[in-house]
Amino acid sequence: MLLATSVVGSLPQPDWLIDRSKLAGRMPPRVRAKELWRVDPDHLTEAQDDATRVAIRAQEEAGLDIVTDGEMRRESYSNHFATALDGVDIDNPGTTINRNGEPYPVPRIAGDIRRQRPIQVDDVRFLRAHTRKTVKMTVPGPFTMSQQAQNDHYADAEAAAMDYAAAVNAEIKDLHAAGADIVQIDEPWLQARPDQARAFGVKALNRALEGVEGTTAVHLCFGYAALVHERPAGYSFLPELAACAADQISIETAQSKLDLGVLADLAGKTIILGVIDLSTPDVESSEVVADRVRRAFAYAPPERIVISTDCGMKYLPRESADGKMRAMARAAATLRAEVG
């Protein structure tokens, strides 16, 4: 669809499912954080199923064209997958420096990183069974996972990233086979650590995408706006993604007021254009959203643009997320009428 609409991945989890005050009071967990769940473990899967149904319906009612599962089953975008891999000691975590320059607990790599089983296939099957819309699933990227871990096993971070990439590759293929129309790789640390990213980030991405036949995307951002408040004027790592095998590149432009001239470097890619500011719960008007999209037309035609949020909406109030999705859908309708 022309100027299709979608969220990046996450929606706000209900307060009855997860302790949102605890969630907001910390950086996204890299190790397991089971203490965040409000529901007894015996009933947690059922509760997550119910929350996923609500998330799907919220997107449909808002008028979005591409639907995710809202990441209702995850404590963070990355730890759900990263802690399910072999070779990671989650009982004796390590530390790394987060985006704010603070030490933070992370998985400790103690052996070869291996994916012994599908991790999110049941999730995409559930999503596919509950909507007729185009569906997207997200997985953390190999570079990001290699940076969110303490490496006590591999000779260097690149070697770890390549084994993470093999695990992601197997997962993407299984997700497509199970019904995902789009699989998005979340790689925010390409932006956070650009020097290392230039050394092996695209190499790891392309290994993760090797032999994949379905539609794929890569998401870069500056971190959750609720937790990382300062935004640079531009990406430190973006033109390099022209060399990656992904079909689509997801970027944020609303809060940062990004100079969209950078899109000229990605002429071969569909752009998932973040036009919803997540630093405030205030709901933008559809005209404000439409204006943010129009800025991109000088650099990418409407046929190569998907309208989206800057990042995941996990930390917003639910009513704000619903309003922002509706504004996106109305903006898309306006723009489709304009461009024919």
Side-chain angles (χ1 to χ4, degrees), residues 45-72:
T45 298
E46 182 180 11
Q48 291 169 336
D49 285 350
D50 291 344
T52 302
R53 289 186 182 94
V54 172
I56 294 167
R57 183 56 58 87
Q59 293 168 85
E60 291 179 335
E61 290 181 349
L64 298 191
D65 305 300
I66 301 166
V67 172
T68 78
D69 68 349
E71 301 180 7
M72 293 291 116

Side-chain angles (χ1 to χ4, degrees), residues 162-178:
M162 297 309 291
D163 272 0
Y164 275 119
V168 172
N169 179 261
E171 184 76 6
I172 292 173
K173 290 175 179 176
D174 282 348
L175 290 172
H176 278 306

Side-chain angles (χ1 to χ4, degrees), residues 72-91:
M72 293 291 116
R73 307 175 198 280
R74 307 188 197 181
E75 296 151 7
S76 81
Y77 75 94
S78 62
N79 77 332
H80 179 74
F81 185 89
T83 59
L85 299 172
D86 282 4
V88 174
D89 186 345
I90 59 175
D91 296 319

Side-chain angles (χ1 to χ4, degrees), residues 1-24:
M1 177 176 287
L2 181 67
L3 295 169
T5 51
S6 175
V7 298
V8 160
S10 65
L11 290 179
Q13 291 153 302
D15 237 329
W16 52 260
L17 178 65
I18 206 161
D19 189 326
R20 290 179 56 80
S21 62
K22 285 184 180 179
L23 181 71

Side-chain angles (χ1 to χ4, degrees), residues 314-337:
K314 188 181 186 77
Y315 293 93
L316 285 178
R318 291 174 67 183
E319 61 272 17
S320 295
D322 290 345
K324 287 172 182 283
M325 288 191 291
R326 289 193 296 268
M328 265 201 306
R330 289 194 294 266
T334 296
L335 293 166
R336 289 174 194 140

Side-chain angles (χ1 to χ4, degrees), residues 182-201:
I182 304 164
V183 178
Q184 175 181 295
I185 302 175
D186 291 333
E187 281 282 23
W189 284 61
L190 290 173
Q191 157 65 27
R193 293 184 176 171
D195 291 338
Q196 291 189 60
R198 290 187 188 95
F200 59 89

